[in-house]
């Protein structure tokens, strides 16, 4: 059943955009370790239109990804990436130089690898969205469709050509190679459900109202721009009936005026303060690295049950504690209540930790 486009007013669209932004920011770290690079998904823009009116020429040649979800609601979402961005992600995944080449081929291995990247990303995304709708959502299938020239989105999403879709375009950036945008298309029924549950949480900010000059009387009395020159009619060195300021004393008086600055907190809007509080609640991925190694693609494809992968770290070497791709500490592996744990033995100076500490002050 298709929801009427008029049901999504500005307040609801704003709530959907903010909820999508938070889910995207939260899910981005899920592919950091895969790409061996920090990933940022930001700056979403939202619109709603009929499927037949949606144009994606700016992303051609494009890679479409159909992401099916199930749980409290069942349906399909569609992601659209520029093929060059998908190639750069695969280069980073496979440890190759991040270079776009015209002879790149989306063969079976590349399709499978890109599908794994999107699967990791959208699993985290729908977990967050499930919290917004008060239910459960999980990815039930990912289908990568490269070299898409004229994809029928309504077929991918099991909708009709006249049905409405919610289009969210977001920026995507990595440490080294990608600074671009991609599209997330949600069915309107899911978008509406998100809006109903988050409209109160993400209220649309009140528009600022600029004061309107009153020109009801003479321009000389009410002109805020003072185009009459009256402001400068009196020389700063002229004598006043109540004082006899010399030129020097006139400048001294001007220079001694106190200067005051408003506090930093007063410069932030309520929306910005709310966003800062949300950032403090964003989970960070903490992982423990016992070692690493490099293998060719054909060696990785030959892995089977019982394969032994030798790492580059001695057995008695400390393990690395990594947060969002940043090494922050080293430690020893211990066992606590039948679970592996790490006892921190060394703190590594990290720009990430310095940044987080500064944000909390």
């Amino acid at each position: 059943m298709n929801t009427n486009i008029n049901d999504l007013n500005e307040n609801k669209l704003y709530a959907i955009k903010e909820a999508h932004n938070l889910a995207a920011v939260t899910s981005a770290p899920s592919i950091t370790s895969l790409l061996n690079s920090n990933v940022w998904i930001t700056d979403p823009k939202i619109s709603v239109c009929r499927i037949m009116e949606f144009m994606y020429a700016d992303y051609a040649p494009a890679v479409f990804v159909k992401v099916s979800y199930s749980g409290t609601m069942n349906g399909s979402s569609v992601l659209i990436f520029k093929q060059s961005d998908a190639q750069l992600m695969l280069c980073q995944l496979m440890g190759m130089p991040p270079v776009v080449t015209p002879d790149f081929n989306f063969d079976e291995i590349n399709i499978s690898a890109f599908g794994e990247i999107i699967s990791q990303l959208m699993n985290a995304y729908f977990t967050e969205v499930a919290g917004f709708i008060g239910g459960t959502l999980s990815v039930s299938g990912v289908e990568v469709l490269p070299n898409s020239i004229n994809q029928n989105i309504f077929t991918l999403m099991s909708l009709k050509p006249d049905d409405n879709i919610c289009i969210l375009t977001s920026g995507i950036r990595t440490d080294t190679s990608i600074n671009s945008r991609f599209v997330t298309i949600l069915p309107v029924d899911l978008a509406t459900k998100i809006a109903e549950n988050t409209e109160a949480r993400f209220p649309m900010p009140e528009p600022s109202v600029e004061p309107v000059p009153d020109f009801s009387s003479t321009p000389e009395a009410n002109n805020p721009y003072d185009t009459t020159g009256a402001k400068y009619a009196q020389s700063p060195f002229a004598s006043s009936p109540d004082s006899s300021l010399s030129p020097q004393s006139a400048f001294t008086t001007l220079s001694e005026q106190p200067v005051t600055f408003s506090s930093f907190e007063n410069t932030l809007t309520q929306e910005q303060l709310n966003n800062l509080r949300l950032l403090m609640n964003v989970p960070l991925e903490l992982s423990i690295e016992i070692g690493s190694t490099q293998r060719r693609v054909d060696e990785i494809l030959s892995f089977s049950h019982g394969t032994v992968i030798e790492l580059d770290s001695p057995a008695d070497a400390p393990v690395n504690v990594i947060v969002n791709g940043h090494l922050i500490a080293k430690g020893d592996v211990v066992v606590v209540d039948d679970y592996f744990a790490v006892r921190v033995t060394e703190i590594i100076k990290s720009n990430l930790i310095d940044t987080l500490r500064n944000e909390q002050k």
Side-chain angles (χ1 to χ4, degrees):
M1 181 179 67
N2 190 40
T3 303
N4 192 309
I5 192 171
N6 296 323
D7 293 340
L8 293 175
N9 56 32
E10 288 188 0
N11 292 333
K12 286 184 170 61
L13 289 177
Y14 181 82
I16 297 167
K17 178 174 74 73
E18 291 300 298
H20 168 80
N21 187 38
L22 182 55
V25 168
T26 304
S27 60
S30 65
I31 58 175
T32 292
S33 57
L34 276 178
L35 301 183
N36 194 29
S37 172
N38 289 310
V39 180
W40 293 270
I41 300 176
T42 58
D43 188 28
K45 293 177 174 53
I46 188 169
S47 62
V48 178
C49 71
R50 293 191 304 166
I51 295 178
M52 63 175 58
E53 296 172 350
F54 173 61
M55 306 295 292
Y56 51 88
D58 291 343
Y59 297 86
V63 177
F64 278 62
V65 186
K66 175 184 176 181
V67 181
S68 302
Y69 57 86
S70 58
T72 303
M73 302 182 71
N74 298 319
S76 297
S77 171
V78 171
L79 277 64
I80 306 176
F81 292 88
K82 294 179 181 178
Q83 183 171 296
S84 56
D85 294 335
Q87 181 182 348
L88 289 172
M89 290 186 199
L90 290 171
C91 288
Q92 293 189 194
L93 175 68
M94 299 178 180
M96 300 168 60
V99 178
V100 176
T101 55
D103 59 345
F104 179 79
N105 179 31
F106 253 100
D107 55 22
E108 186 176 347
I109 293 177
N110 288 329
I111 289 175
S112 177
F114 191 67
E116 180 60 27
I117 295 173
I118 302 305
S119 179
Q120 293 279 350
L121 178 69
M122 297 307 287
N123 264 305
Y125 176 85
F126 278 114
T127 298
E128 191 71 20
V129 171
F132 293 142
I133 67 172
T136 59
L137 287 176
S138 60
V139 174
S140 55
V142 173
E143 182 181 1
V144 179
L145 303 166
N147 306 317
S148 299
I149 299 175
N150 189 23
Q151 280 293 339
N152 291 325
I153 299 175
F154 60 89
T155 301
L156 294 178
M157 301 180 70
S158 300
L159 298 174
K160 299 176 182 178
D162 282 334
D163 284 344
N164 299 316
I165 50 176
C166 183
I167 304 145
L168 294 133
T169 61
S170 303
I172 181 168
R173 183 167 61 87
T174 63
D175 281 332
T176 54
S177 59
I178 300 174
N179 188 3
S180 187
R181 298 190 73 80
F182 73 101
V183 179
T184 303
I185 302 176
L186 299 179
V188 171
D189 59 347
L190 176 58
T192 302
K193 186 69 172 178
I194 295 172
E196 291 172 352
N197 287 270
T198 60
E199 191 173 2
R201 179 176 175 181
F202 302 116
M204 189 171 182
E206 294 293 333
S208 58
V209 179
E210 295 292 335
V212 179
D214 178 15
F215 295 105
S216 58
S217 59
T218 63
E220 291 79 5
N222 294 288
N223 186 354
Y225 307 106
D226 190 24
T227 56
T228 64
K231 180 178 179 180
Y232 306 102
Q234 181 74 12
S235 168
F237 306 113
S239 297
S240 169
D242 300 324
S243 64
S244 56
L245 291 176
S246 66
Q248 181 62 37
S249 61
F251 281 110
T252 303
T253 303
L254 290 174
S255 64
E256 290 176 353
Q257 295 299 317
V259 179
T260 59
F261 298 93
S262 59
S263 67
F264 176 73
E265 292 184 357
N266 292 335
T267 64
L268 297 179
T269 65
Q270 186 60 45
E271 179 189 5
Q272 290 171 324
L273 290 173
N274 289 338
N275 288 340
L276 282 176
R277 296 189 188 101
L278 287 174
L279 286 176
M280 290 299 101
N281 293 325
V282 172
L284 299 178
E285 179 183 359
L286 188 149
S287 57
I288 307 300
E289 182 185 61
I290 62 173
S292 62
T293 187
Q294 289 188 344
R295 291 290 185 269
R296 298 192 308 273
V297 173
D298 60 342
E299 292 177 307
I300 294 174
L301 293 177
S302 67
F303 285 174
S304 61
H305 182 72
T307 299
V308 176
I309 304 173
E310 184 178 351
L311 304 179
D312 57 6
S313 299
D316 58 349
V319 297
N320 295 331
V321 180
I322 298 173
V323 174
N324 275 29
H326 294 265
L327 175 64
I328 67 165
K330 291 181 177 289
D332 298 327
V333 176
V334 297
V335 177
V336 178
D337 295 332
D338 296 329
Y339 288 92
F340 283 118
V342 172
R343 180 191 295 114
V344 174
T345 58
E346 180 184 358
I347 300 296
I348 307 297
K349 182 173 176 57
S350 168
N351 291 334
L352 173 66
I353 296 300
D354 292 341
T355 302
L356 293 175
R357 285 172 176 166
N358 291 335
E359 288 180 353
Q360 287 182 323
K361 291 180 180 179

